[in-house]
């Protein structure tokens, strides 16, 4: 809806995919469109708007309102243009006297059951019903107001047909009085979102939109608050509360969601410097006009009162904070860093960047470490989730990134989802996948939990392999064995794209009986038969794709698992064509970008090793300083060194390491041992409890930059409002660098991107001009691919031949035993994001007020735990308490929780085991014991009072 | 909707009905018919269970249940009187008859008499268009209905 402010116009029906072109004449204008296009869309392509109410190009045509009727030469009557496909040589008339009469009649009927309070309506000026009344020239309504749905009462008393507003959802309102029952919302919930939360109840005059059943409200229904229905509603029936509150927006800023790795494009609808609403862009290539509750609605944190806008410092972390000027804060930070280096050596300090910051910010922070501080001690929290992907895929294929774009899911015949929970973690991707599943694609899920994807309405039967946490490699290797044993592999692909002899060696490794489904069943608890079925289904699918998430990487065998996944794709030839591939679902919005930008201690931007002389020379020349060839410290090593007294200074941008890193206590004692900790963030986060300097950050709405999503797509982030803290984050890093003697003079992030392009081959062609023009591009983007690369490894692997790695299962050291008999695995839920710093500060809390522990009823019964009880979860490294929920989604022996709330601190319990190759921490498996409890653990209380104390700010401290 | 309200008995019976039809094509309507035959209405608690079993959602089941006037959302009285309200009968004065019947019985459409004996429901065409207005009580159909005939029908049924 809202055509007059949304720049992309509504074509009425979705685009048709066909190679055949049809030509026709609409009101005398010749137009050619793909076969299968509707007459309505063809007219729109010709620039002619046919009046419509029930049609929108977000969903397929329905043909219920009859406002879009046209006349077609040689056809009888007046067909609906939205449901009539074009035919060669068709001659269409969209405006005739007959049609005008019909349309007026239709509008009269609609208006006779609609309250005429346009002037005070929230959709005033932004309502398609209004527009259509104007378009058909409605001047009078001949029907007397009789039975209707909108009047609260009539002369005889309350109107039985009237229903009050449903305001249960915190972000939008449903006002049935304004509903024209076009069912766009119902169809959007089904076709676009795939949740099927809405229906039309009753029939005829009694038809109404209903969320869930009779007794449900929007909040209690299956609705996940994605906002698709609100977006397509032509009237004020479903409308954002912010629009009711503020009014219609007046300009648009195109930007990118700052939450997850899907990287949805959004139109920020603004009034002045205030966001009225965020609407997913139809031309967004990752999201194609869809969004989830986080990006669409949960941006209120940007103006939350908790946000700190002034710099603060303190001598010791036990002191209260003192508000100071930017100059004072930066001088204090810079001189302390330099003093520390002077006293303890150049390498006694380092930086941590966040996968939530823009590429440009991340690039600057690693440049600050390398060129200004003179050390390679730079790392990113992407280590926490995705370094095994980089390592595993580079070893096997040659690039540290997923192989396909999200569009590719539209062509897949079977999706193998491993250790991911897309409906919660990557909701827009999940919606796109669900659409494909409803069209008949197969689904295999390898995950300890029965994730919601398996319950997709209207899909066929999915296959679920509920493995014991930590046994990914065993199961995947066994699947590979079945594929080889039953000769289901793609010999031609292996011969041409990989090395046949190497394959033979790998096959021999696989055929060892220890990889047989029966043997693997013993340790993974996945029935051998399911392993065989999964192998056969994946190998048989003409186009099989693999999507995996943190359940793969956050394990001691994360890198090996990624390699076994790559092996499966190579064995079956599922690489290089749409619908196939190996795709990591990146946790945070810019995990991909922050890895690309050289924030690892051993790699420059573009994954080039610091010991590589040629690369070093490029940067020495660009930056004008000598650079160290020695790799720096990874985050866990920084902490170890800190405890040993050798690492004493840290600049931490946009990352709450206390909450997001494993083994919280280890982290806090390491931080307490440092001389200078600089936290640069929106909020006084958990890490800032241990900091000496707090630099207030800017939100994604307040800065320019780029994010790179899970499909390597570089998306623009655009400044919609002035930073409330005074500066964009890259400016703050630049000021800090310059205080320490650098002489940077960037005036805009585009200049930083130009420097990245100049020094990094895979980004050579990227510039803000190009991004403005194309909307987004996928790296590699250079002379060979000037508009970027949607699909990788099309004709050959980047590394030449695909590389089969022998993937031996090694049991994690984290084993359940008599003291800790259960395995804890962690994850996330839809409405909250990561450590929740943002989402906890929005109304998303109505869906997830606290972290809960999922436990199988039999395990609960053994321990005397009832649904809703407080329980104590203890591991070798710590304990915490939270509430238990009994569910069969987890297998006996497995418990599950999220880590969105700091008071839970699930990571107090997780251990510091990590992936052998990349030190990615093992979040997904921890042996624990669960027992009934009456309230918060000692640690939680102690921690709570410590954070109270360390967040004190001196009143009137500023001089 | 209260899950707690679902007794073991209820869910066993419900599961049995679902299992009976689950594999056939278009299982929803037969399941709903059997449920109504069993409990005389479609309990709301049944809807999410049906939905889960058929790979649908409870909104969709509700959409279907509410589309058909014959599916009741609460238990009916012991007898059900149906008055046709469709076009042919309307043209023969069905609306006026409905007003008279409602006044005489003291209940509205979809309501049940306080003693739980009789429920009044509208129906849209009974296939007796030629002799409207028509009514139905149990299996008995009534043509050229008027208040007196309807009252007699009610009395005969012992309602
Ligand atoms: S709520 Fe909006 S979209 Fe849904 S049927 Fe009513 S008018 Fe149409
Ligand atoms: S917000 Fe999304 S999930 Fe909820 S009813 Fe609307 S379309 Fe469906
Ligand atoms: S959180 Fe992810 S799926 Fe949701 S709107 Fe943002 S990018 Fe899209
Ligand atoms: S727009 Fe075509 S029938 Fe409604
Ligand atoms: S219209 Fe009443 S029986 Fe057909």
């Amino acid at each position: 809806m809202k055509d007059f402010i949304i720049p992309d116009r509504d074509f009425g029906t979705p685009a048709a995919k066909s190679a055949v072109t049809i030509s026709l004449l609409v009101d005398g204008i010749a137009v050619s469109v793909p076969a299968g296009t509707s007459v309505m869309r063809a007219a729109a392509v010709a620039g002619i708007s046919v009046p419509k109410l029930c049609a929108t190009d977000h969903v397929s045509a329905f043909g219920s309102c009859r406002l879009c009727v046209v006349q077609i030469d040689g056809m009888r009557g007046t067909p609906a243009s939205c449901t009539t496909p074009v035919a060669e040589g068709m001659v269409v008339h969209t405006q005739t006297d007959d049609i005008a009469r019909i349309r007026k009649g239709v509008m009269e009927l609609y208006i006779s059951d609609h309250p005429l309070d346009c002037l005070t309506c929230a959709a005033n000026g932004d309502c398609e019903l209004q527009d259509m009344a104007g378009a058909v020239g409605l001047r009078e309504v001949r029907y007397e107001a009789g039975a209707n749905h909108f009047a609260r009462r009539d002369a005889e008393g309350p109107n039985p047909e009237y229903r009050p507003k449903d305001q249960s959802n915190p972000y939008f309102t449903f006002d049935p009085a304004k509903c024209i029952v076009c069912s766009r919302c119902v169809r959007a919930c089904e076709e676009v979102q795939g949740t099927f939360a809405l229906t039309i109840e009753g029939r005829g005059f009694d038809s109404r939109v209903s969320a869930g059943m009779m007794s449900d409200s929007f909040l209690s229904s299956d609705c996940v608050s994605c906002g698709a229905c609100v977006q397509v509603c032509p009237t004020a029936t479903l409308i954002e509360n912010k629009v009711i509150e503020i009014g219609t927006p007046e300009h648009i800023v195109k930007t990118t969601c700052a939450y997850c790795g899907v990287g949805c494009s959004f139109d920020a609808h603004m009034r002045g410097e205030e966001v009225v609403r965020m609407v997913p862009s139809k031309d967004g290539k990752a999201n194609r006009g869809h969004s989830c509750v986080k990006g669409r609605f949960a941006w209120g944190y940007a103006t939350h009162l908790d946000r700190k806008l002034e710099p603060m410092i303190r001598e010791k972390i036990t002191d209260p904070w003192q508000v100071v000027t930017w100059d004072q804060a930066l001088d204090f930070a810079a001189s302390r860093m330099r003093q520390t280096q002077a006293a303890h050596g150049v390498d006694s300090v380092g930086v941590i960047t966040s996968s939530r910051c823009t590429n440009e910010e991340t690039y600057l922070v690693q440049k600050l470490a390398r060129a200004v501080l003179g050390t390679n001690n730079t790392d990113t929290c992407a280590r926490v989730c995705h370094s095994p992907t980089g390592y595993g895929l580079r070893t096997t294929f040659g690039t540290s990134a997923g192989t396909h774009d999200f569009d590719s899911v539209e062509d897949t015949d079977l999706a193998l989802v491993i250790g991911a929970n897309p409906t919660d973690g990557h909701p827009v991707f999940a919606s796109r996948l669900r659409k494909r599943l409803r069209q008949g694609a197969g689904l295999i899920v390898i995950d300890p939990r029965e994730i919601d994807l398996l319950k997709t309405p209207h899909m066929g039967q999915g296959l679920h392999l509920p493995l014991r946490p930590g046994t990914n490699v065993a199961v995947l290797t066994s699947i590979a064995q079945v594929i080889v044993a039953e000769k289901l592999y793609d010999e031609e692909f292996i011969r041409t794209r990989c090395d046949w002899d190497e394959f033979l060696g790998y096959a021999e490794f696989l055929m060892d009986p220890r990889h047989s489904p029966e043997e693997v069943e013993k340790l993974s608890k996945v029935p051998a038969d399911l392993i065989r079925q999964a192998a056969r289904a994946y190998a048989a699918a003409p186009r099989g794709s693999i999507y995996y998430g943190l359940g793969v990487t956050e394990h001691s065998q994360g890198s090996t698992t990624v390699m076994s996944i790559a092996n499966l794709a190579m064995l079956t030839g599922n690489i290089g064509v749409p619908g196939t591939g190996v795709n990591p679902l990146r946790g945070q919005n810019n995990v991909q970008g922050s890895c690309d930008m050289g924030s690892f201690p051993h790699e420059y931007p573009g994954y080039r090793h610091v010991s590589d002389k040629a690369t070093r020379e490029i940067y020495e020349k660009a930056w004008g300083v000598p650079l160290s060839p020695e790799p720096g410290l990874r985050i866990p090593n920084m902490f170890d060194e800190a405890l040993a007294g050798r690492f004493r200074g840290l600049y931490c941008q946009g990352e709450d390491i206390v909450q997001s890193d494993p083994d919280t206590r280890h982290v806090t004692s390491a931080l307490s041992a440092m001389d200078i900790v600089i936290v640069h963030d929106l909020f006084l986060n958990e890490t800032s409890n241990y900091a000496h300097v707090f630099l207030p950050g800017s939100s994604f709405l307040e800065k320019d930059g780029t994010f790179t999503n899970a499909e390597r797509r570089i998306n623009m982030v655009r400044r919609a409002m002035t930073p409330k803290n005074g500066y964009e984050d890259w400016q703050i890093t630049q000021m800090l660098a310059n205080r320490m003697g650098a002489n940077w003079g960037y005036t805009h992030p585009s200049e930083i991107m130009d420097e990245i392009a100049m020094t990094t081959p895979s980004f050579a062609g990227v510039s803000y001009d190009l991004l403005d023009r194309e909307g987004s591009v996928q790296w590699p983007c250079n002379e060979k691919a000037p508009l970027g690369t949607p699909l990788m490894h099309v004709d050959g692997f980047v590394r030449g031949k695909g590389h089969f790695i022998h993937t031996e299962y090694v049991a994690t050291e984290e084993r359940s035993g008599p003291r800790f008999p259960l395995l804890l695995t962690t994850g996330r839920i839809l409405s909250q994001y990561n450590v929740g710093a943002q989402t906890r500060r929005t109304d998303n809390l109505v869906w997830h007020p606290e972290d809960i522990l999922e436990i199988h009823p039999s395990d609960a019964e053994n321990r005397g735990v009832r649904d809703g009880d407080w329980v104590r979860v203890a591991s070798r490294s710590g304990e915490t308490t939270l509430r238990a929920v009994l569910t069969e989604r987890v297998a006996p022996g497995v418990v599950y929780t999220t880590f969105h709330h700091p008071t839970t601190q699930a990571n107090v319990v997780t251990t510091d085991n990590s992936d052998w190759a990349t030190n990615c921490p093992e979040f997904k498996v921890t042996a624990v014991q669960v027992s009934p409890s009456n309230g918060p653990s000692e640690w939680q209380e102690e921690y709570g009072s410590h954070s109270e104390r360390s967040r004190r700010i001196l009143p009137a401290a500023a001089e | 909707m209260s899950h707690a309200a679902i007794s073991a008995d209820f869910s066993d019976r419900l599961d049995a009905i679902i299992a009976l039809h689950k594999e056939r094509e278009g299982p929803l309507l037969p399941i709903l018919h059997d449920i109504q035959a069993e409990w005389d209405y479609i309990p709301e608690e049944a809807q999410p269970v049906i939905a889960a079993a058929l790979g649908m959602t409870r909104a969709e089941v509700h959409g279907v249940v509410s589309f058909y006037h014959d599916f009741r959302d609460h238990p009916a009285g012991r007898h059900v009187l149906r008055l046709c309200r469709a076009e042919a009968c309307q043209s023969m004065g069905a609306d006026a008859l409905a007003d008279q019947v409602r006044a005489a019985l003291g209940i509205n459409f979809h309501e049940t008499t306080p003693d739980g004996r009789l429920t009044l429901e509208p129906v849209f065409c009974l296939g007796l268009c030629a002799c409207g207005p028509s009514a139905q009580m149990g299996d008995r159909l009534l043509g050229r209905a008027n208040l007196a005939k309807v009252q007699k029908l009610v009395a005969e049924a012992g309602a």
Side-chain angles (χ1 to χ4, degrees):
Chain A
M1 70 172 184
K2 333 299 187 191
D3 280 351
F4 86 110
I5 39 169
I6 290 193
D8 17 282
R9 119 166 230 216
D10 191 333
F11 286 82
T13 61
K17 271 191 194 168
S18 169
V20 184
T21 302
I22 305 275
S23 301
L24 64 161
L25 220 53
V26 185
D27 291 347
I29 301 174
V31 56
S32 299
V33 291
T37 303
S38 69
V39 169
M40 174 180 282
R41 190 176 174 100
V45 170
I48 295 163
S49 300
V50 180
K52 63 184 178 59
L53 278 174
C54 67
T56 166
D57 57 11
H58 286 93
V59 291
S60 34
F62 191 56
S64 73
C65 75
R66 310 296 302 172
L67 198 61
C68 69
V69 291
V70 292
Q71 284 180 310
I72 297 173
D73 287 0
M75 261 170 100
R76 288 184 38 208
T78 49
S81 63
C82 62
T83 49
T84 308
V86 294
E88 189 57 43
M90 221 177 213
V91 179
V92 181
H93 311 278
T94 73
Q95 301 286 359
T96 67
D97 290 345
D98 284 348
I99 295 174
R101 220 170 301 119
I102 296 176
R103 288 189 187 144
K104 256 191 208 177
V106 169
M107 277 312 289
E108 268 185 278
L109 284 168
Y110 272 109
I111 297 303
S112 69
D113 192 6
H114 199 83
L116 294 180
D117 56 359
C118 290
L119 284 184
T120 51
C121 178
N124 189 15
D126 193 9
C127 168
E128 292 183 48
L129 190 65
Q130 252 178 7
D131 297 347
M132 290 308 116
V136 306
L138 186 72
R139 296 296 171 260
E140 57 164 355
V141 175
R142 287 166 299 172
Y143 304 101
E144 273 176 42
N148 68 69
H149 294 94
F150 61 84
R152 227 175 271 257
R153 48 192 308 123
D154 56 21
E156 285 160 39
N159 175 5
E161 306 296 343
Y162 174 82
R163 301 233 179 127
K165 292 178 186 164
D166 179 342
Q167 292 172 311
S168 59
N169 183 295
Y171 298 117
F172 61 81
T173 295
F174 172 62
D175 179 2
K178 309 234 163 181
C179 183
I180 59 170
V181 203
C182 64
S183 93
R184 281 191 192 185
C185 52
V186 179
R187 290 176 285 143
C189 191
E190 297 179 352
E191 288 180 36
V192 180
Q193 165 57 24
T195 293
F196 292 71
L198 302 179
T199 189
I200 302 287
E201 74 176 31
R203 59 157 80 178
F205 183 72
D206 292 330
S207 309
R208 301 161 192 273
V209 171
S210 159
M213 310 180 297
M214 198 74 89
S215 62
D216 278 316
S217 65
F218 265 80
L219 192 64
S220 72
S221 75
D222 291 327
C223 170
V224 293
S225 197
C226 71
C229 54
V230 182
Q231 194 180 354
V232 296
C233 179
T235 64
T237 314
L238 280 164
I239 195 160
E240 296 90 349
N241 289 346
K242 277 278 173 193
V243 175
I244 301 180
E245 190 185 312
I246 303 175
T248 38
E250 40 78 30
H251 75 278
I252 284 174
V253 179
K254 287 207 162 251
T255 188
T256 302
C257 175
Y259 278 115
C260 85
V262 176
C264 296
S265 301
F266 274 90
D267 297 347
H269 287 203
M270 309 290 300
R271 163 166 296 189
E273 292 209 63
E274 184 177 23
V275 181
V276 178
R277 64 179 162 205
M278 297 286 282
V279 180
S281 319
K282 234 181 324 194
D283 55 5
K285 291 180 185 138
N287 55 323
R288 303 282 174 200
H290 191 37
S291 65
C292 82
V293 60
K294 292 186 284 277
R296 179 101 157 84
F297 295 118
W299 36 267
Y301 68 87
T303 51
H304 195 279
L305 286 179
D306 279 358
R307 195 175 150 194
K308 292 284 170 284
L309 301 174
E310 289 160 316
M312 296 187 290
I313 59 172
R314 60 184 168 191
E315 201 56 41
K316 301 191 300 295
I317 60 171
T318 46
D319 293 344
W321 282 108
Q322 199 180 343
V323 174
V324 294
T325 63
W326 276 102
D327 277 337
Q328 286 170 307
L330 292 164
D331 284 341
F332 181 85
S335 61
R336 275 243 185 155
M337 286 295 257
R338 283 309 195 199
Q339 282 160 15
T340 305
Q341 284 190 299
H344 302 277
V346 227
D347 291 321
S348 63
V349 299
V351 301
I352 294 180
T353 69
S354 160
S355 36
R356 256 171 271 155
C357 297
T358 64
N359 290 323
E360 292 74 7
E361 287 156 12
T362 311
Y363 178 86
L364 279 198
V365 174
Q366 61 92 31
K367 178 173 173 182
L368 176 106
R370 298 195 156 107
V372 183
L373 296 173
T375 172
N376 283 320
N377 289 342
T378 164
D379 204 359
T380 168
C381 58
R383 165 95 53 233
V384 175
C385 48
H386 256 290
S387 35
T389 287
Y391 184 82
L393 290 187
R394 188 143 39 104
T395 314
T396 48
F397 296 164
T399 42
S400 298
T403 59
H404 282 56
D405 58 1
F406 287 134
D407 280 350
S408 150
V409 77
E410 292 174 10
D411 294 306
T412 200
D413 297 306
L414 177 134
L416 174 53
V417 177
I418 311 171
N421 184 8
T423 51
D424 290 63
H426 303 83
V428 165
F429 166 71
S431 289
R432 300 188 68 181
L433 174 56
R434 282 182 149 176
K435 185 168 196 165
R436 188 64 193 152
L437 296 177
R438 289 195 303 276
Q439 290 166 351
L443 173 69
I444 304 173
V445 170
I446 305 184
D447 197 281
R449 287 172 79 228
E450 189 191 358
I451 58 171
D452 280 345
L453 199 57
L454 285 159
K455 295 183 221 145
T456 296
H458 303 285
M459 72 160 188
Q461 199 59 44
L463 206 58
H464 180 208
L465 280 56
L467 79 183
R468 260 178 92 66
T471 59
N472 285 324
V473 172
V475 172
L476 292 168
T477 306
S478 187
I479 290 179
Q481 188 202 57
V482 176
I483 291 176
V484 170
E486 302 188 1
K487 300 225 177 332
L488 305 172
Y489 50 83
D490 183 340
E491 178 164 345
E492 197 199 313
F493 183 90
I494 299 170
R495 281 188 187 277
T496 50
R497 302 285 298 272
C498 309
D499 184 306
W500 185 251
D501 287 334
E502 191 184 275
F503 164 72
L504 293 178
Y506 174 61
E508 196 182 323
F509 160 80
L510 284 179
M511 289 320 294
D512 188 284
R514 69 181 184 279
H515 301 308
S516 72
E518 282 71 21
E519 282 305 309
V520 169
E521 170 170 352
K522 288 182 197 151
L523 39 115
S524 70
K525 302 275 184 287
V526 178
D529 177 50
L530 279 183
I531 295 180
R532 290 213 165 79
Q533 282 185 39
R536 289 172 195 146
Y538 176 67
R543 292 168 179 220
S545 52
I546 302 181
Y547 295 92
Y548 68 90
L550 300 181
V552 159
T553 49
E554 285 180 358
H555 277 293
S556 61
Q557 279 204 291
S559 297
T560 317
T561 314
V562 174
M563 293 187 243
S564 21
I565 289 172
N567 286 347
L568 283 183
M570 289 189 289
L571 277 181
T572 52
N574 274 317
I575 287 288
V577 282
T580 65
V582 172
N583 295 291
L585 295 171
R586 303 290 192 176
Q588 304 183 7
N589 54 323
N590 204 30
V591 167
Q592 183 67 51
S594 64
C595 299
D596 299 343
M597 287 302 112
S599 39
F600 289 139
H602 61 291
E603 279 171 344
Y604 287 116
Y607 306 97
R608 292 161 296 165
H609 205 273
V610 289
S611 64
D612 178 52
K613 194 149 173 290
T615 311
R616 220 168 46 243
E617 277 166 3
I618 297 177
Y619 285 102
E620 288 183 337
K621 193 156 151 260
W623 297 344
V625 288
L627 296 172
S628 161
E630 290 301 321
L633 297 173
R634 298 168 171 180
I635 293 174
N637 309 125
M638 290 183 191
F639 297 147
D640 295 343
E641 288 293 291
L643 289 171
R646 289 187 293 264
F647 185 84
R648 314 184 67 103
L650 180 67
Y651 170 36
C652 183
Q653 188 189 45
E655 177 59 17
D656 196 356
I657 44 179
V658 168
Q659 215 189 336
S660 64
D661 259 56
D663 202 349
T664 310
R665 287 186 197 210
H666 183 66
V667 178
T668 54
S669 34
L671 286 172
S672 312
M674 294 189 200
D675 296 333
I676 167 83
V677 174
I678 308 167
V679 164
H680 179 173
D681 204 297
L682 291 179
F683 302 103
L684 274 181
N685 59 20
E686 305 300 310
T687 309
S688 68
N689 295 345
Y690 302 87
H692 307 86
V693 179
F694 178 81
L695 302 175
S698 48
S699 78
F700 78 109
L701 292 166
E702 299 164 335
K703 58 194 179 193
D704 286 308
T706 56
F707 290 145
T708 307
N709 76 353
E711 30 159 30
R712 295 169 278 107
R713 185 183 300 287
I714 307 167
N715 279 314
M716 286 294 258
V717 179
R718 291 190 184 83
R719 175 164 156 159
M721 49 171 96
T722 316
K724 296 197 187 307
N725 56 328
Y727 297 100
E728 300 183 25
D729 289 330
W730 62 271
Q731 293 176 303
I732 297 167
T733 305
Q734 168 160 301
M735 292 190 296
L736 181 63
N738 287 347
R739 284 289 193 299
M740 294 194 283
N743 190 17
W744 298 353
Y746 303 106
T747 59
H748 190 267
S750 62
E751 297 161 13
I752 306 173
M753 181 52 88
D754 291 342
E755 184 175 315
I756 297 167
M758 192 181 76
T759 53
T760 316
S762 47
F763 282 74
V766 182
S767 70
Y768 276 30
D769 278 349
L770 179 75
L771 292 170
D772 277 335
R773 224 169 32 244
E774 294 299 316
S776 64
V777 291
Q778 288 169 276
W779 67 256
C781 172
N782 44 34
E783 304 96 85
K784 270 191 273 164
L787 293 182
T789 315
L791 250 61
M792 301 273 269
H793 318 295
V794 173
D795 300 312
F797 286 103
V798 170
R799 72 182 298 280
K801 293 277 185 189
H803 189 24
F804 286 105
I805 308 272
H806 297 200
T807 51
E808 192 66 67
Y809 167 69
V810 186
T812 165
E813 286 166 25
E814 192 65 27
R815 264 185 222 257
S816 51
R819 264 182 71 212
F820 302 111
L822 299 173
L823 285 181
L824 168 76
T825 167
T826 60
R828 55 174 59 184
I829 56 129
L830 170 68
S831 58
Q832 300 293 325
Y833 169 74
N834 197 6
V835 297
Q838 291 98 337
T839 43
R840 265 187 290 121
R841 293 183 170 91
T842 67
D843 288 328
N844 278 23
L845 280 180
V846 303
W847 291 281
H848 188 71
E850 60 181 342
D851 290 322
I852 47 149
L853 184 81
E854 290 188 6
I855 182 168
H856 191 274
S858 65
D859 289 330
E861 197 181 334
N862 291 339
R863 290 168 176 73
V865 169
R866 284 157 313 169
D867 206 45
D869 279 357
W870 282 97
V871 291
R872 189 180 79 108
V873 182
S875 76
R876 275 187 282 111
S877 45
E879 64 174 66
T880 188
T881 49
L882 66 176
R883 238 181 259 277
V885 162
L886 274 46
T887 169
E888 287 174 10
R889 297 177 71 147
V890 289
V894 178
V895 291
Y896 168 88
T897 189
T898 50
F899 60 106
H900 298 303
H901 292 268
T903 46
T904 323
Q905 291 283 6
N907 295 339
V908 175
V909 179
T910 53
T911 54
D912 58 358
N913 287 352
S914 55
D915 178 45
W916 59 272
T918 59
N919 269 4
C920 176
E922 187 174 45
F923 271 150
K924 292 289 176 182
V925 207
T926 311
V928 295
Q929 176 59 297
V930 171
S931 52
S933 139
N934 338 323
S937 72
E938 212 174 289
W939 191 90
Q940 277 165 304
E941 286 184 346
E942 186 187 310
Y943 185 86
S945 67
H946 168 72
S947 47
E948 287 285 299
R949 247 181 295 127
S950 53
R951 283 195 179 134
R952 280 170 303 154
I953 300 174
L954 279 189
E959 289 129 65
Chain B
M1 179 194 69
S2 69
H3 284 285
I6 304 183
S7 70
D9 224 29
F10 174 85
S11 50
D12 284 352
R13 195 55 208 121
L14 181 59
D15 289 347
I17 292 175
I18 294 173
L20 191 64
H21 300 290
K22 194 175 168 197
E23 300 310 324
R24 60 195 270 185
E25 210 162 298
L28 181 56
L29 286 179
I31 289 175
L32 292 176
H33 279 297
D34 280 10
I35 290 176
Q36 177 136 318
E38 177 89 20
W39 289 287
D40 201 34
Y41 75 115
I42 313 284
E44 202 182 49
E45 308 82 277
Q47 298 184 17
V49 183
I50 305 170
L54 302 186
M56 309 170 69
T57 62
R58 60 185 196 260
E60 293 178 281
V61 175
H62 169 59
V64 172
V65 171
S66 60
F67 183 83
Y68 295 101
H69 291 286
D70 280 349
F71 292 134
R72 271 182 234 105
D73 57 13
H74 54 267
R78 246 166 292 144
H79 303 274
V80 178
L81 172 67
R82 294 195 166 86
L83 295 182
C84 177
R85 310 204 65 194
E87 283 73 8
C89 291
Q90 268 187 31
S91 68
M92 297 302 291
D95 284 346
L97 174 65
D99 288 345
Q100 290 165 7
V101 172
R102 289 190 320 198
L105 296 174
I107 51 173
N108 254 319
F109 282 116
H110 304 294
E111 288 180 1
T112 303
T113 50
D115 59 8
R117 278 175 194 247
L118 185 72
T119 300
L120 181 63
E121 281 181 359
V123 58
F124 292 83
C125 196
L126 289 166
L128 291 180
C129 314
C131 43
S134 10
Q136 183 187 24
M137 180 86 181
D139 303 337
R140 289 184 61 192
L141 290 168
L142 179 69
R144 299 204 176 80
N146 57 35
L147 182 62
K149 282 165 105 177
V150 169
Q151 276 175 324
K152 187 158 165 263
L153 191 68
V154 169
E156 278 169 14

